[in-house]
mmCIF file of all heavy atoms in Angstrom:
data_model
loop_
_atom_site.group_PDB
_atom_site.id
_atom_site.type_symbol
_atom_site.label_atom_id
_atom_site.label_comp_id
_atom_site.label_asym_id
_atom_site.label_seq_id
_atom_site.Cartn_x
_atom_site.Cartn_y
_atom_site.Cartn_z
ATOM 1 N N LEU A 690 110.022 73.511 51.937
ATOM 2 C CA LEU A 690 110.668 74.297 52.982
ATOM 3 C C LEU A 690 109.981 75.641 53.187
ATOM 4 O O LEU A 690 110.024 76.199 54.293
ATOM 5 C CB LEU A 690 112.142 74.513 52.628
ATOM 6 C CG LEU A 690 113.047 73.293 52.788
ATOM 7 C CD1 LEU A 690 114.410 73.553 52.173
ATOM 8 C CD2 LEU A 690 113.190 72.909 54.259
ATOM 9 N N ASP A 691 109.330 76.155 52.138
ATOM 10 C CA ASP A 691 108.585 77.410 52.262
ATOM 11 C C ASP A 691 107.195 77.200 52.859
ATOM 12 O O ASP A 691 106.612 78.130 53.420
ATOM 13 C CB ASP A 691 108.440 78.076 50.895
ATOM 14 C CG ASP A 691 109.752 78.636 50.369
ATOM 15 O OD1 ASP A 691 110.661 78.889 51.188
ATOM 16 O OD2 ASP A 691 109.875 78.800 49.141
ATOM 17 N N LEU A 692 106.660 75.981 52.748
ATOM 18 C CA LEU A 692 105.277 75.725 53.150
ATOM 19 C C LEU A 692 105.131 75.208 54.570
ATOM 20 O O LEU A 692 104.108 75.453 55.217
ATOM 21 C CB LEU A 692 104.629 74.721 52.198
ATOM 22 C CG LEU A 692 104.259 75.194 50.800
ATOM 23 C CD1 LEU A 692 103.686 74.041 49.988
ATOM 24 C CD2 LEU A 692 103.254 76.338 50.863
ATOM 25 N N THR A 693 106.092 74.433 55.070
ATOM 26 C CA THR A 693 105.877 73.732 56.333
ATOM 27 C C THR A 693 107.097 73.795 57.246
ATOM 28 O O THR A 693 108.240 73.800 56.769
ATOM 29 C CB THR A 693 105.506 72.256 56.071
ATOM 30 O OG1 THR A 693 105.256 71.606 57.317
ATOM 31 C CG2 THR A 693 106.618 71.519 55.334
ATOM 32 N N ASP A 694 106.808 73.831 58.537
ATOM 33 C CA ASP A 694 107.854 73.711 59.551
ATOM 34 C C ASP A 694 107.820 72.343 60.207
ATOM 35 O O ASP A 694 108.580 72.093 61.152
ATOM 36 C CB ASP A 694 107.673 74.782 60.632
ATOM 37 C CG ASP A 694 108.123 76.155 60.160
ATOM 38 O OD1 ASP A 694 109.059 76.221 59.332
ATOM 39 O OD2 ASP A 694 107.544 77.162 60.608
ATOM 40 N N ALA A 695 106.952 71.451 59.736
ATOM 41 C CA ALA A 695 106.902 70.095 60.289
ATOM 42 C C ALA A 695 108.161 69.344 59.884
ATOM 43 O O ALA A 695 108.723 69.555 58.806
ATOM 44 C CB ALA A 695 105.653 69.368 59.781
ATOM 45 N N GLY A 696 108.598 68.431 60.756
ATOM 46 C CA GLY A 696 109.761 67.620 60.413
ATOM 47 C C GLY A 696 109.403 66.639 59.330
ATOM 48 O O GLY A 696 108.235 66.278 59.179
ATOM 49 N N PRO A 697 110.370 66.209 58.536
ATOM 50 C CA PRO A 697 111.804 66.522 58.570
ATOM 51 C C PRO A 697 112.195 67.879 57.955
ATOM 52 O O PRO A 697 113.294 68.366 58.209
ATOM 53 C CB PRO A 697 112.434 65.391 57.740
ATOM 54 C CG PRO A 697 111.401 64.325 57.664
ATOM 55 C CD PRO A 697 110.103 65.061 57.659
ATOM 56 N N TYR A 698 111.285 68.467 57.125
ATOM 57 C CA TYR A 698 111.664 69.739 56.517
ATOM 58 C C TYR A 698 111.938 70.794 57.579
ATOM 59 O O TYR A 698 112.822 71.638 57.429
ATOM 60 C CB TYR A 698 110.558 70.214 55.567
ATOM 61 C CG TYR A 698 110.381 69.345 54.356
ATOM 62 C CD1 TYR A 698 109.188 68.661 54.124
ATOM 63 C CD2 TYR A 698 111.410 69.202 53.426
ATOM 64 C CE1 TYR A 698 109.022 67.858 53.003
ATOM 65 C CE2 TYR A 698 111.256 68.402 52.308
ATOM 66 C CZ TYR A 698 110.058 67.730 52.099
ATOM 67 O OH TYR A 698 109.894 66.931 51.000
ATOM 68 N N GLY A 699 111.180 70.746 58.682
ATOM 69 C CA GLY A 699 111.394 71.699 59.760
ATOM 70 C C GLY A 699 112.765 71.579 60.389
ATOM 71 O O GLY A 699 113.313 72.571 60.893
ATOM 72 N N GLU A 700 113.345 70.376 60.385
ATOM 73 C CA GLU A 700 114.698 70.204 60.907
ATOM 74 C C GLU A 700 115.714 70.947 60.039
ATOM 75 O O GLU A 700 116.670 71.543 60.556
ATOM 76 C CB GLU A 700 115.046 68.723 60.961
ATOM 77 C CG GLU A 700 114.210 67.911 61.936
ATOM 78 C CD GLU A 700 114.552 66.442 61.899
ATOM 79 O OE1 GLU A 700 115.645 66.086 61.400
ATOM 80 O OE2 GLU A 700 113.736 65.636 62.363
ATOM 81 N N ILE A 701 115.477 70.906 58.730
ATOM 82 C CA ILE A 701 116.371 71.637 57.824
ATOM 83 C C ILE A 701 116.235 73.133 58.050
ATOM 84 O O ILE A 701 117.231 73.869 58.138
ATOM 85 C CB ILE A 701 116.059 71.266 56.363
ATOM 86 C CG1 ILE A 701 116.333 69.773 56.123
ATOM 87 C CG2 ILE A 701 116.880 72.118 55.401
ATOM 88 C CD1 ILE A 701 115.885 69.266 54.766
ATOM 89 N N ALA A 702 114.980 73.608 58.172
ATOM 90 C CA ALA A 702 114.755 75.035 58.413
ATOM 91 C C ALA A 702 115.385 75.471 59.734
ATOM 92 O O ALA A 702 115.982 76.554 59.822
ATOM 93 C CB ALA A 702 113.253 75.331 58.401
ATOM 94 N N SER A 703 115.263 74.654 60.774
ATOM 95 C CA SER A 703 115.842 75.006 62.070
ATOM 96 C C SER A 703 117.360 75.092 61.998
ATOM 97 O O SER A 703 117.988 75.973 62.604
ATOM 98 C CB SER A 703 115.429 73.969 63.119
ATOM 99 O OG SER A 703 114.031 74.003 63.341
ATOM 100 N N TYR A 704 117.970 74.192 61.248
ATOM 101 C CA TYR A 704 119.426 74.217 61.075
ATOM 102 C C TYR A 704 119.849 75.502 60.362
ATOM 103 O O TYR A 704 120.805 76.179 60.768
ATOM 104 C CB TYR A 704 119.870 72.994 60.284
ATOM 105 C CG TYR A 704 121.354 72.957 60.012
ATOM 106 C CD1 TYR A 704 122.250 72.464 60.959
ATOM 107 C CD2 TYR A 704 121.871 73.412 58.800
ATOM 108 C CE1 TYR A 704 123.615 72.435 60.711
ATOM 109 C CE2 TYR A 704 123.231 73.393 58.538
ATOM 110 C CZ TYR A 704 124.100 72.900 59.496
ATOM 111 O OH TYR A 704 125.444 72.882 59.242
ATOM 112 N N LEU A 705 119.118 75.859 59.307
ATOM 113 C CA LEU A 705 119.480 77.057 58.543
ATOM 114 C C LEU A 705 119.174 78.331 59.312
ATOM 115 O O LEU A 705 119.786 79.374 59.048
ATOM 116 C CB LEU A 705 118.754 77.049 57.192
ATOM 117 C CG LEU A 705 119.177 75.919 56.248
ATOM 118 C CD1 LEU A 705 118.333 75.938 54.976
ATOM 119 C CD2 LEU A 705 120.657 76.010 55.911
ATOM 120 N N ALA A 706 118.248 78.249 60.272
ATOM 121 C CA ALA A 706 117.985 79.417 61.124
ATOM 122 C C ALA A 706 119.174 79.726 62.026
ATOM 123 O O ALA A 706 119.400 80.877 62.399
ATOM 124 C CB ALA A 706 116.736 79.165 61.978
ATOM 125 N N VAL A 707 119.931 78.706 62.371
ATOM 126 C CA VAL A 707 121.132 78.889 63.188
ATOM 127 C C VAL A 707 122.343 79.191 62.316
ATOM 128 O O VAL A 707 123.141 80.089 62.607
ATOM 129 C CB VAL A 707 121.393 77.637 64.052
ATOM 130 C CG1 VAL A 707 122.726 77.751 64.788
ATOM 131 C CG2 VAL A 707 120.247 77.433 65.033
ATOM 132 N N HIS A 708 122.470 78.440 61.216
ATOM 133 C CA HIS A 708 123.625 78.586 60.323
ATOM 134 C C HIS A 708 123.235 79.508 59.159
ATOM 135 O O HIS A 708 123.043 79.078 58.020
ATOM 136 C CB HIS A 708 124.079 77.219 59.835
ATOM 137 C CG HIS A 708 124.519 76.324 60.952
ATOM 138 N ND1 HIS A 708 125.802 76.329 61.450
ATOM 139 C CD2 HIS A 708 123.838 75.419 61.692
ATOM 140 C CE1 HIS A 708 125.912 75.465 62.432
ATOM 141 N NE2 HIS A 708 124.723 74.891 62.607
ATOM 142 N N ARG A 709 123.109 80.773 59.506
ATOM 143 C CA ARG A 709 122.691 81.765 58.519
ATOM 144 C C ARG A 709 123.738 81.868 57.408
ATOM 145 O O ARG A 709 124.932 81.909 57.661
ATOM 146 C CB ARG A 709 122.507 83.111 59.209
ATOM 147 C CG ARG A 709 121.449 83.074 60.317
ATOM 148 C CD ARG A 709 121.537 84.309 61.214
ATOM 149 N NE ARG A 709 120.564 84.270 62.290
ATOM 150 C CZ ARG A 709 120.763 83.662 63.455
ATOM 151 N NH1 ARG A 709 121.912 83.022 63.682
ATOM 152 N NH2 ARG A 709 119.837 83.682 64.387
ATOM 153 N N GLY A 710 123.257 81.903 56.191
ATOM 154 C CA GLY A 710 124.172 81.982 55.059
ATOM 155 C C GLY A 710 124.554 80.635 54.483
ATOM 156 O O GLY A 710 125.278 80.580 53.477
ATOM 157 N N ALA A 711 124.081 79.539 55.090
ATOM 158 C CA ALA A 711 124.417 78.204 54.577
ATOM 159 C C ALA A 711 123.405 77.701 53.559
ATOM 160 O O ALA A 711 123.525 76.579 53.077
ATOM 161 C CB ALA A 711 124.504 77.205 55.740
ATOM 162 N N GLU A 712 122.426 78.551 53.214
ATOM 163 C CA GLU A 712 121.357 78.100 52.325
ATOM 164 C C GLU A 712 121.879 77.613 50.973
ATOM 165 O O GLU A 712 121.398 76.612 50.443
ATOM 166 C CB GLU A 712 120.333 79.229 52.088
ATOM 167 C CG GLU A 712 119.579 79.656 53.309
ATOM 168 C CD GLU A 712 120.226 80.832 54.020
ATOM 169 O OE1 GLU A 712 121.475 80.947 53.942
ATOM 170 O OE2 GLU A 712 119.501 81.625 54.628
ATOM 171 N N HIS A 713 122.847 78.324 50.409
ATOM 172 C CA HIS A 713 123.335 77.949 49.079
ATOM 173 C C HIS A 713 123.879 76.539 49.074
ATOM 174 O O HIS A 713 123.537 75.723 48.202
ATOM 175 C CB HIS A 713 124.405 78.940 48.610
ATOM 176 C CG HIS A 713 124.999 78.595 47.279
ATOM 177 N ND1 HIS A 713 126.105 77.759 47.142
ATOM 178 C CD2 HIS A 713 124.636 78.938 46.020
ATOM 179 C CE1 HIS A 713 126.386 77.611 45.871
ATOM 180 N NE2 HIS A 713 125.518 78.326 45.160
ATOM 181 N N ASP A 714 124.718 76.217 50.054
ATOM 182 C CA ASP A 714 125.296 74.879 50.112
ATOM 183 C C ASP A 714 124.220 73.832 50.396
ATOM 184 O O ASP A 714 124.252 72.734 49.832
ATOM 185 C CB ASP A 714 126.372 74.815 51.190
ATOM 186 C CG ASP A 714 127.629 75.582 50.802
ATOM 187 O OD1 ASP A 714 127.834 75.823 49.595
ATOM 188 O OD2 ASP A 714 128.397 75.956 51.709
ATOM 189 N N ALA A 715 123.277 74.167 51.268
ATOM 190 C CA ALA A 715 122.216 73.218 51.592
ATOM 191 C C ALA A 715 121.335 72.945 50.372
ATOM 192 O O ALA A 715 121.022 71.784 50.073
ATOM 193 C CB ALA A 715 121.369 73.761 52.742
ATOM 194 N N TYR A 716 120.956 73.995 49.671
ATOM 195 C CA TYR A 716 120.110 73.804 48.487
ATOM 196 C C TYR A 716 120.845 72.997 47.410
ATOM 197 O O TYR A 716 120.238 72.176 46.717
ATOM 198 C CB TYR A 716 119.678 75.152 47.914
ATOM 199 C CG TYR A 716 118.669 75.891 48.754
ATOM 200 C CD1 TYR A 716 118.601 77.283 48.715
ATOM 201 C CD2 TYR A 716 117.785 75.223 49.591
ATOM 202 C CE1 TYR A 716 117.683 77.987 49.475
ATOM 203 C CE2 TYR A 716 116.862 75.921 50.366
ATOM 204 C CZ TYR A 716 116.811 77.292 50.301
ATOM 205 O OH TYR A 716 115.908 77.991 51.051
ATOM 206 N N ARG A 717 122.131 73.223 47.274
ATOM 207 C CA ARG A 717 122.901 72.444 46.304
ATOM 208 C C ARG A 717 122.883 70.961 46.673
ATOM 209 O O ARG A 717 122.650 70.096 45.816
ATOM 210 C CB ARG A 717 124.338 72.953 46.237
ATOM 211 C CG ARG A 717 125.231 72.135 45.297
ATOM 212 C CD ARG A 717 126.619 72.735 45.164
ATOM 213 N NE ARG A 717 127.458 71.897 44.322
ATOM 214 C CZ ARG A 717 128.244 70.920 44.786
ATOM 215 N NH1 ARG A 717 128.300 70.685 46.104
ATOM 216 N NH2 ARG A 717 128.958 70.193 43.959
ATOM 217 N N THR A 718 123.112 70.659 47.936
ATOM 218 C CA THR A 718 123.083 69.268 48.380
ATOM 219 C C THR A 718 121.714 68.649 48.137
ATOM 220 O O THR A 718 121.599 67.532 47.603
ATOM 221 C CB THR A 718 123.433 69.189 49.870
ATOM 222 O OG1 THR A 718 124.789 69.598 50.049
ATOM 223 C CG2 THR A 718 123.269 67.775 50.396
ATOM 224 N N LEU A 719 120.661 69.358 48.507
ATOM 225 C CA LEU A 719 119.310 68.824 48.369
ATOM 226 C C LEU A 719 118.925 68.586 46.912
ATOM 227 O O LEU A 719 118.107 67.716 46.616
ATOM 228 C CB LEU A 719 118.319 69.771 49.040
ATOM 229 C CG LEU A 719 118.442 69.860 50.565
ATOM 230 C CD1 LEU A 719 117.648 71.051 51.109
ATOM 231 C CD2 LEU A 719 117.970 68.569 51.218
ATOM 232 N N SER A 720 119.534 69.331 45.997
ATOM 233 C CA SER A 720 119.202 69.148 44.586
ATOM 234 C C SER A 720 119.628 67.777 44.061
ATOM 235 O O SER A 720 119.100 67.297 43.056
ATOM 236 C CB SER A 720 119.849 70.251 43.736
ATOM 237 O OG SER A 720 121.270 70.107 43.679
ATOM 238 N N TYR A 721 120.567 67.128 44.736
ATOM 239 C CA TYR A 721 121.017 65.801 44.307
ATOM 240 C C TYR A 721 120.102 64.683 44.818
ATOM 241 O O TYR A 721 120.248 63.536 44.387
ATOM 242 C CB TYR A 721 122.446 65.542 44.785
ATOM 243 C CG TYR A 721 123.488 66.299 44.006
ATOM 244 C CD1 TYR A 721 123.914 67.558 44.421
ATOM 245 C CD2 TYR A 721 124.064 65.770 42.852
ATOM 246 C CE1 TYR A 721 124.873 68.270 43.716
ATOM 247 C CE2 TYR A 721 125.018 66.464 42.136
ATOM 248 C CZ TYR A 721 125.414 67.722 42.569
ATOM 249 O OH TYR A 721 126.379 68.421 41.857
ATOM 250 N N VAL A 722 119.184 64.999 45.720
ATOM 251 C CA VAL A 722 118.257 63.980 46.221
ATOM 252 C C VAL A 722 116.806 64.352 45.938
ATOM 253 O O VAL A 722 115.885 63.766 46.504
ATOM 254 C CB VAL A 722 118.470 63.731 47.730
ATOM 255 C CG1 VAL A 722 119.891 63.243 47.986
ATOM 256 C CG2 VAL A 722 118.162 64.968 48.573
ATOM 257 N N GLU A 723 116.611 65.316 45.062
ATOM 258 C CA GLU A 723 115.265 65.785 44.726
ATOM 259 C C GLU A 723 114.466 64.693 44.014
ATOM 260 O O GLU A 723 114.862 64.192 42.965
ATOM 261 C CB GLU A 723 115.355 67.044 43.856
ATOM 262 C CG GLU A 723 114.064 67.496 43.214
ATOM 263 C CD GLU A 723 112.981 67.827 44.226
ATOM 264 O OE1 GLU A 723 113.195 68.742 45.045
ATOM 265 O OE2 GLU A 723 111.927 67.161 44.177
ATOM 266 N N GLY A 724 113.316 64.357 44.590
ATOM 267 C CA GLY A 724 112.497 63.288 44.041
ATOM 268 C C GLY A 724 111.961 63.567 42.655
ATOM 269 O O GLY A 724 111.741 62.630 41.867
ATOM 270 N N VAL A 725 111.702 64.826 42.324
ATOM 271 C CA VAL A 725 111.215 65.142 40.984
ATOM 272 C C VAL A 725 112.259 64.781 39.933
ATOM 273 O O VAL A 725 111.932 64.294 38.845
ATOM 274 C CB VAL A 725 110.817 66.623 40.889
ATOM 275 C CG1 VAL A 725 110.373 66.976 39.469
ATOM 276 C CG2 VAL A 725 109.704 66.946 41.884
ATOM 277 N N SER A 726 113.528 64.982 40.242
ATOM 278 C CA SER A 726 114.597 64.617 39.309
ATOM 279 C C SER A 726 114.642 63.105 39.104
ATOM 280 O O SER A 726 114.835 62.620 37.980
ATOM 281 C CB SER A 726 115.945 65.125 39.822
ATOM 282 O OG SER A 726 115.976 66.540 39.841
ATOM 283 N N PHE A 727 114.486 62.342 40.185
ATOM 284 C CA PHE A 727 114.428 60.888 40.029
ATOM 285 C C PHE A 727 113.192 60.477 39.237
ATOM 286 O O PHE A 727 113.244 59.578 38.390
ATOM 287 C CB PHE A 727 114.424 60.214 41.401
ATOM 288 C CG PHE A 727 115.725 60.296 42.133
ATOM 289 C CD1 PHE A 727 115.814 60.927 43.365
ATOM 290 C CD2 PHE A 727 116.879 59.751 41.594
ATOM 291 C CE1 PHE A 727 117.007 61.003 44.050
ATOM 292 C CE2 PHE A 727 118.098 59.815 42.270
ATOM 293 C CZ PHE A 727 118.155 60.449 43.497
ATOM 294 N N ALA A 728 112.057 61.121 39.508
ATOM 295 C CA ALA A 728 110.824 60.789 38.797
ATOM 296 C C ALA A 728 110.970 60.999 37.295
ATOM 297 O O ALA A 728 110.465 60.200 36.494
ATOM 298 C CB ALA A 728 109.671 61.632 39.333
ATOM 299 N N ARG A 729 111.660 62.032 36.889
ATOM 300 C CA ARG A 729 111.836 62.311 35.463
ATOM 301 C C ARG A 729 112.575 61.184 34.763
ATOM 302 O O ARG A 729 112.410 60.963 33.566
ATOM 303 C CB ARG A 729 112.608 63.620 35.278
ATOM 304 C CG ARG A 729 111.907 64.849 35.812
ATOM 305 C CD ARG A 729 112.772 66.083 35.620
ATOM 306 N NE ARG A 729 112.861 66.435 34.216
ATOM 307 C CZ ARG A 729 113.932 67.003 33.645
ATOM 308 N NH1 ARG A 729 115.026 67.230 34.371
ATOM 309 N NH2 ARG A 729 113.923 67.299 32.364
#
Side-chain angles (χ1 to χ4, degrees):
L690 286 170
D691 289 338
L692 287 178
T693 182
D694 284 329
Y698 293 117
E700 295 177 19
I701 297 172
S703 295
Y704 178 84
L705 294 176
V707 174
H708 298 274
R709 300 165 182 86
E712 295 93 330
H713 178 271
D714 289 339
Y716 289 153
R717 177 175 177 268
T718 294
L719 293 167
S720 70
Y721 286 92
V722 300
E723 169 60 61
V725 177
S726 295
F727 289 119
R729 297 178 70 212

